[in-house]
Amino acid sequence: MNTRTRVLTGTALAVALGAGTFGAVSANAAQTGSAPAAVAAQGDAQKDDAQKAEAQKGDGDDRNFTTTTHLTVDAATRAAQASLQAAQKEGQKVTVAVVDRNGNTVVTLRGDGAGPQSYESAQRKAYTAVSWNAPTSVLAGRLAQTPNLKDIPGTLFLAGGAPVQAKGAPVAGIGVAGAPSGDLDEKFAKAGVDALDK
């Protein structure tokens, strides 16, 4: 190859490389020019994803908790008074206890002349009724099949306790003690439950 051909070939090659490099630089510059927009869009997408993740995390945190229904003190007092008044109308001296869903005593009313044993008995009947979501007279019948139920602390499997329900779930228990029979105690406890439905 002669010198002139080499120079022309070299020049053509240099021009071609220069054009390729220029095209690459131009393409790169175009990409670089659009990069801020792309990065901004990507940043917005990541921000949205982070917000969604945070919202889901918040929802997830809510799944770690539960909400329960409890009687207000006013409602518990109204129920206890209704039970006590039902007993007084029949000349019975009783104690009435209302416990919440967790078995904690909310209200206890000891009627005039009620025996000293009636205070604790009323609380234990209320606790038993809410724990099993059933009247204690029904639960007392279960002792024949499972006698060790009576060994559970805080319970008393004698008639006189009635559960208070909201949508079928137990939210409180009312226990009455002191009348000459458990059937009477339970009748008065149910009068308290009925007072909440009015």
Side-chain angles (χ1 to χ4, degrees):
M1 204 188 260
N2 66 28
T3 307
R4 185 170 182 216
T5 306
R6 277 192 236 165
V7 170
L8 286 176
T9 305
T11 304
L13 189 56
V15 170
L17 284 175
T21 303
F22 178 75
V25 170
S26 297
N28 193 24
Q31 288 173 355
T32 304
S34 66
V39 170
Q42 185 179 12
D44 289 344
Q46 287 175 345
K47 186 177 178 183
D48 290 343
D49 290 344
Q51 288 173 343
K52 287 177 188 175
E54 190 63 31
Q56 288 173 349
K57 182 180 176 188
D59 292 343
D61 289 346
D62 289 346
R63 286 178 270 191
N64 292 328
F65 302 98
T66 184
T67 303
T68 58
T69 303
H70 291 267
L71 284 183
T72 64
V73 172
D74 289 341
T77 302
R78 191 169 69 247
Q81 288 174 331
S83 291
L84 190 59
Q85 288 170 356
Q88 288 171 340
K89 284 180 186 175
E90 295 193 26
Q92 300 301 319
K93 299 172 181 176
V94 300
T95 297
V96 180
V98 180
V99 301
D100 67 13
R101 175 62 189 103
N102 301 318
N104 300 310
T105 303
V106 179
V107 175
T108 302
L109 296 179
R110 185 172 174 202
D112 294 335
Q117 81 291 351
S118 65
Y119 189 87
E120 183 180 348
S121 295
Q123 289 178 330
R124 291 174 63 190
K125 288 179 183 183
Y127 177 83
T128 305
V130 75
S131 295
W132 277 272
N133 193 23
T136 52
S137 59
V138 172
L139 297 171
R142 295 181 188 172
L143 287 178
Q145 292 85 21
T146 47
N148 59 343
L149 280 178
K150 68 182 181 334
D151 298 331
I152 298 172
T155 60
L156 184 58
F157 291 87
L158 296 175
V164 177
Q165 300 176 340
K167 298 179 182 177
V171 296
I174 300 175
V176 177
S181 76
D183 291 340
L184 280 174
D185 284 338
E186 199 156 305
K187 175 183 173 183
F188 305 145
K190 288 179 180 174
V193 174
D194 292 343
L196 295 173
D197 294 332
K198 296 177 182 177

